[in-house]
Structures are given as C-alpha cells and as structure tokens.
C-alpha cells in the first residue's frame, strides 16, 4: 500500500525535499493551500488563541465532543480550551476520532468548522450513521433545527448542545 506523508516548510525546503523524494522513487505533489492549517507554522496562533480562551466562560460539554487534536472525547472546560487551541498547530487525528465515535455508538455526527471534508470521510467509513457539517447550514439556528429535525431521536442532545 502507498504511504502518504505531509511536509510543510519554505518553498525552497519543499523543493529540495521533492527532489530527494524523486531520487527515492517517490512522488511529491504540491498542495494548493492558502494557510498552513494544522501545522507547526501556526504555533504562534495556537498560543494566542489559547490565551484568549483562558478567560472565555465555558461550561462542561453536555454531549460527546471529540478532539481532532487528540482523538479523545473532551468534556471539561479546561480540556476543551486546551484542545481547541492546540488543534490549530497539530495534525488532525480524524481516524482516531472516527474510531472513538464509532466505538461509542453515536447516533449522528456534526462536524464543526469550515467545509465538510470530515463529514464526507465519516459517511464513507460509517454510512449507517448520519453525518453533516455545520458549514452546510446558513445559521446556528438552522444547524440546530436541521440536525434535530433529521435525527429526532437525539433532539434533546442537539438542543442541549446549542
């Protein structure tokens, strides 16, 4: 099976890495990204965001939340603050999140964040469990209404989460 590796760095460093990869019969494909999300290049942003979150009032989560920073379920406010800040400059552990959620036998999955890539991956791996992205809705109210309307069995949890 093919192994994939993501590398980040300056254009010169990446060009040198691509040349080295080609000498080892590997292929290097530059990605067209606007921001180096989930890489150490955003460490300063993680620290700044962590400082902002430190004073942000937060209650313990009343529904299962899984962190793409650790792959673990988080509930306590201090843990939520930590993983929210850390995820900016850390690799996404979505496979770990999916495994933890599947083991927990969740009723549905709601991806919070920009885009719907993670919800699409979930639907590919676990088509029997509905998944949506908050980005698919126009407002917070429509997220709540849409998710709770689609999955009425978990409506109490949806309402409590917003």
């Amino acid at each position: 099976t093919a192994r994939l590796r993501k590398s980040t760095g300056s254009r010169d460093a990446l060009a040198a890495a691509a040349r080295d990869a080609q000498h080892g019969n590997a292929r290097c494909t530059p990605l067209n990204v606007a921001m180096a999300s989930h890489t150490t290049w955003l460490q300063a942003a993680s620290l700044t965001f962590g400082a902002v979150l430190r004073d942000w009032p937060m209650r313990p989560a009343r529904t299962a939340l899984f962190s793409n920073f650790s792959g673990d379920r988080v509930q306590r406010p201090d843990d939520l603050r930590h993983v929210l800040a850390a995820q900016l400059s850390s690799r996404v552990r979505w496979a770990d999140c999916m495994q933890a959620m599947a083991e927990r036998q969740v009723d549905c999955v709601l991806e919070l964040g920009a885009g719907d890539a993670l919800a699409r991956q979930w639907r590919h791996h676990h088509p029997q469990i509905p998944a949506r992205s908050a980005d698919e809705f126009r407002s917070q109210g429509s997220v709540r209404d849409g998710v709770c309307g689609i999955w009425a069995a978990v409506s109490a949890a949806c309402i409590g989460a917003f």
Side-chain angles (χ1 to χ4, degrees), residues 70-135:
S70 64
D72 296 325
R73 181 176 181 216
V74 288
Q75 188 170 5
R76 296 177 339 149
D78 286 343
D79 295 337
L80 289 165
R81 288 182 187 95
H82 171 71
V83 299
L84 282 169
Q87 73 177 342
L88 297 178
S89 59
S90 301
R91 75 178 183 95
V92 173
R93 301 180 61 103
W94 184 233
D96 295 337
C97 287
M98 286 193 300
Q99 168 124 10
M101 289 186 287
E103 288 173 358
R104 193 169 166 79
Q105 298 178 336
V106 297
D107 295 311
C108 64
V109 173
L110 176 63
E111 175 186 357
L112 302 176
D116 68 344
L118 301 180
R120 282 187 285 116
Q121 287 179 35
W122 176 271
R123 288 191 295 265
H124 175 75
H125 291 284
H126 303 282
Q128 72 283 8
I129 300 172
R132 296 284 304 267
S133 168
D135 208 33

Side-chain angles (χ1 to χ4, degrees), residues 32-51:
N32 184 17
V33 296
M35 180 172 34
S37 300
H38 308 294
T39 70
T40 56
W41 285 66
L42 289 181
Q43 186 63 43
S46 282
L47 295 173
T48 301
F49 190 44

Side-chain angles (χ1 to χ4, degrees), residues 49-77:
F49 190 44
V52 169
L53 290 175
R54 207 175 2 258
D55 297 325
W56 194 285
M58 200 177 282
R59 296 185 311 240
R62 295 188 290 184
T63 191
L65 298 176
F66 293 85
S67 164
N68 69 7
F69 164 69
S70 64
D72 296 325
R73 181 176 181 216
V74 288
Q75 188 170 5
R76 296 177 339 149

